[in-house]
Amino acid sequence: MSKLFTIAFLLVLFVSACSKNDDPQLNQPPAAFSVSVKQATGADDVVLSWTKAKDPDGDPVTYAVVWKDTLAKNLTDTTYTLKNVGYTATLSGTIVATDSKKATTTSVFSFTTGEYPYTPVPDVNFEKALIKLGIDDIQDGKVLTASAQKVVKLDLEFMSISSLQGIEAFSNLTELICIANGLTSLDVSKNKALTSLYCGSNPITSLDLSQNVSLLILQCSFNRLTSLDVSKNTALTHLIYNTDAVMPQEYYLKSLDVSKNLALISLACYGHGLTTLDVSRNTALTNLDCSNNNLSSLDVSRNRALTSLNCMYNRLTSLDLRNNNQLKAVSCNNNRIQTICVSDLSVVTKDWVKDNSATYQVCP
């Protein structure tokens, strides 16, 4: 009986052991992994990269990338590039790690791409100038915005440019020289760092400087501006807008208001049809050229810092310079002046020019 019991017991143990060894071992999915996302340099592609998902059972792992209609399967590498995502686009998707027994682990990614890195430059000659200056490198109708943002001075004089579209990308520009081109318009509203603007000898018909509050020097001579608003440019020290008889009178300035430009040192506005000019608030003025206009009177009594005055070819009948003892040069010929009042005749030098009919007089 004991022998039979022992045999039965051993048989039970054997069957139990065999049964236990035949149970399949539970498969574990790949370990969690992390994903990093970045935008490709100079493109709208997005590069995905992730850490390897280690499988606890040592099984090989492959990856699948899922985004919109994109499904890349059976990847063994840990990088993948999404092509032509677009600029300022928000994307989200998943990367699935799968082992050989089909167990999976998923990691989510999301990202927003940056802005378009280029600014259009449609004018061929403008882009040629940028290439010549080393700002651009290839003639393709655009410039890298980051390159434009590094520029603080831009000299485009005599470059046969008809459009400066693209100048808005030069956000750190402090000096712009675009004299003698074919510009009919000029938009510098985005160039808020500008301190010097030389845009003379162009057929520009309007110029909005309301955003250029840091502007110190403006030279816009020989354009076709019938009005010029510099009321927002209170830091302006030099204003030069001259013209000549070659310019049709329809493009002459009818008026010029410099009452807000208290820092003005030099003002040149010859060759227009101005009938009045008020410089009473411009007490820092040292140089004034208002020749070749239609002024019948000119009050410079408050401009005591004046060293140079040119008011020839107007309709002045008198000129009072009693408060202007710093004057070194005066041109007031070709007027209707009879008397030029001074504080003392000793202030008159050889550089003072008048009509023969006019006389200097110490006025009370």
Side-chain angles (χ1 to χ4, degrees):
M1 184 71 177
S2 175
K3 187 175 180 179
L4 289 174
F5 177 80
T6 301
I7 292 173
F9 178 73
L10 291 174
L11 184 61
V12 170
L13 287 177
F14 175 76
V15 172
S16 176
C18 290
S19 176
K20 184 175 183 180
N21 290 335
D22 287 343
D23 284 342
Q25 197 173 26
L26 184 64
N27 181 47
Q28 298 184 68
F33 59 99
S34 59
V35 184
S36 62
V37 191
K38 68 177 182 179
Q39 186 169 349
T41 303
D44 61 348
D45 298 342
V46 170
V47 180
L48 305 173
S49 58
W50 56 91
T51 58
K52 286 187 176 181
K54 295 182 180 180
D55 189 81
D57 302 315
D59 295 330
V61 177
T62 59
Y63 305 92
V65 175
V66 182
W67 172 68
K68 285 189 174 180
D69 298 328
T70 298
L71 176 58
K73 298 189 297 182
N74 300 321
L75 302 174
T76 56
D77 198 2
T78 55
T79 61
Y80 185 79
T81 301
L82 299 173
K83 297 288 188 179
N84 303 318
V85 173
Y87 293 98
T88 60
T90 299
L91 65 150
S92 60
T94 58
I95 296 175
V96 182
T98 306
D99 67 12
S100 58
K101 297 184 179 67
K102 306 304 181 183
T104 61
T105 299
T106 300
S107 186
V108 176
F109 66 85
S110 62
F111 186 71
T112 300
T113 57
E115 295 182 352
Y116 183 60
Y118 293 94
T119 297
V121 180
D123 189 282
V124 173
N125 290 330
F126 183 18
E127 189 173 14
K128 283 182 178 178
L130 295 180
I131 293 172
K132 183 178 180 180
L133 293 169
I135 300 167
D136 198 4
D137 56 0
I138 185 172
Q139 190 86 35
D140 57 0
K142 61 183 186 293
V143 63
L144 193 63
T145 304
S147 297
Q149 290 172 342
K150 296 177 182 178
V151 179
V152 294
K153 179 179 178 179
L154 193 57
D155 190 345
L156 305 171
E157 191 172 5
F158 294 101
M159 295 290 187
S160 300
I161 299 169
S162 59
S163 171
L164 277 183
Q165 182 181 340
I167 197 68
E168 64 274 10
F170 295 75
S171 55
N172 294 308
L173 197 64
T174 60
E175 183 174 355
L176 173 59
I177 305 171
C178 52
I179 296 170
N181 282 284
L183 302 174
T184 56
S185 63
L186 179 59
D187 184 355
V188 289
S189 59
K190 297 292 191 295
N191 308 102
K192 296 184 179 182
L194 267 184
T195 58
S196 302
L197 174 58
Y198 302 88
C199 59
S201 300
N202 283 287
I204 298 172
T205 56
S206 64
L207 189 59
D208 183 357
L209 302 172
S210 59
Q211 301 301 311
N212 309 103
V213 296
S214 297
L215 202 62
L216 300 175
I217 300 173
L218 172 61
Q219 196 278 75
C220 53
S221 297
F222 308 107
N223 273 286
R224 297 182 177 181
L225 305 174
T226 56
S227 63
L228 181 62
D229 185 355
V230 289
S231 60
K232 303 297 183 183
N233 314 107
T234 56
L236 205 62
T237 59
H238 294 72
L239 172 56
I240 305 101
Y241 182 25
N242 299 318
T243 188
D244 55 25
V246 177
M247 184 71 67
Q249 291 190 14
E250 61 186 286
Y251 299 122
Y252 287 179
L253 278 183
K254 304 302 186 293
S255 63
L256 180 61
D257 184 355
V258 290
S259 61
K260 300 291 195 301
N261 311 106
L262 306 186
L264 208 58
I265 295 173
S266 181
L267 172 60
C269 54
Y270 73 70
H272 294 282
L274 298 176
T275 56
T276 60
L277 181 64
D278 184 356
V279 291
S280 60
R281 302 194 65 192
N282 310 105
T283 56
L285 207 60
T286 60
N287 297 283
L288 174 59
D289 186 348
C290 56
S291 58
N292 294 74
N293 278 286
N294 289 319
L295 302 175
S296 58
S297 63
L298 180 64
D299 183 359
V300 290
S301 60
R302 296 186 181 181
N303 309 105
R304 296 173 182 266
L306 270 182
T307 59
S308 175
L309 171 62
N310 184 355
C311 57
M312 63 182 184
Y313 289 97
N314 275 285
R315 299 180 179 181
L316 302 178
T317 56
S318 63
L319 186 60
D320 188 348
L321 303 177
R322 285 176 295 175
N323 293 336
N324 310 102
N325 293 331
Q326 303 300 315
L327 278 171
K328 306 300 181 187
V330 175
S331 296
C332 59
N333 51 303
N334 290 283
N335 276 285
R336 302 171 183 175
I337 299 172
Q338 296 297 314
T339 302
I340 302 170
C341 287
V342 294
S343 60
D344 193 293
L345 292 177
S346 63
V347 301
V348 179
T349 71
K350 60 181 179 60
D351 295 316
W352 287 39
V353 180
K354 64 176 181 59
D355 292 320
N356 291 332
S357 58
T359 58
Y360 298 114
Q361 183 175 331
V362 177
C363 301

